[in-house]
Amino acid sequence: MSLVDTIRSTLVPIHREGWKFVAGFFVASLLLGAAWEPLMWIGFILTAWCAYFFRDPERMTPQDDDLVISPADGRVSAVAMVTPPSELELGDQPMMRISVFMNVFNCHVNRAPMRGRVSRVAYRAGKFLNADLDKASQENERNGLVIETAHGQIGVVQIAGLVARRILCWTVMNDSLEAGERFGLIRFGSRLDVFLPAGAEPRVSVGQMAIAGETVLAEFGSAKGPVISRRG
């Protein structure tokens, strides 16, 4: 990797939702430094971490309607057949659920796993348990999308975690999303669940690291020919 590529991979844009937090950390650092200089340097380190947390890098997303792309950076924490949340109105039969857990060091911008039209957006208040726990899917605060795809309806659920206290979703009903397109963000540690209909075959294992907009979580049928990627 060249020096230019290294710099580009490190100095990535900060999402607009993060600028107020970065500014707040920076001002707090200056105020603390006026009282005791070492606190200022600690504050600057935390400011740098905040900027890193809200990073929003470009990704190369495979454009293939047979592929399900990870909506989040993080660790695959579950691959199982589970009944989807009732507010998604996807029925009471188990669907394949693939969960990606994001810690506070992962990029937290969420991306659409498949191309399609958003037919439902459903928010539900709840608890703030550790998002890595299986019961967090049913008990935690969450926001779900139902996307009409070439293979039927899929569900994408943003789940707040132990530290997270704010789910952001700027996608609304009838929006059309491209695979890998940004649709939301969760602040400070959380999880994304993807619910898939029959025919989807998982392509990841529990414990594997996933990259939002790039890692293939599952596949419908078999890929046909070369896969084209979209930068975004």
Side-chain angles (χ1 to χ4, degrees), residues 207-223:
Q208 180 177 335
M209 298 305 296
I211 299 174
E214 294 189 356
T215 300
V216 176
L217 296 184
E219 182 178 0
F220 289 91
S222 59

Side-chain angles (χ1 to χ4, degrees), residues 101-181:
F101 174 75
M102 299 177 285
N103 64 36
V104 294
F105 297 104
N106 293 129
C107 176
H108 274 56
V109 176
N110 304 145
R111 295 170 177 265
M114 298 186 76
R115 181 171 66 89
R117 181 182 65 86
V118 177
S119 61
R120 185 169 179 79
V121 180
Y123 168 81
R124 182 163 179 171
K127 299 178 181 179
F128 296 97
L129 304 174
N130 183 349
D132 207 15
L133 298 175
D134 192 63
K135 62 182 179 180
S137 289
Q138 295 296 328
E139 298 187 22
N140 279 24
E141 175 180 307
R142 58 187 183 267
N143 183 75
L145 302 180
V146 175
I147 303 175
E148 303 280 349
T149 77
H151 293 279
Q153 294 182 320
I154 69 168
V156 187
V157 184
Q158 299 169 287
I159 302 173
L162 186 64
V163 181
R165 287 296 186 273
R166 178 67 169 166
I167 295 174
L168 301 177
C169 179
W170 45 80
T171 295
V172 297
M173 283 184 60
N174 295 318
D175 276 356
S176 293
L177 295 174
E178 294 294 329
E181 184 175 345

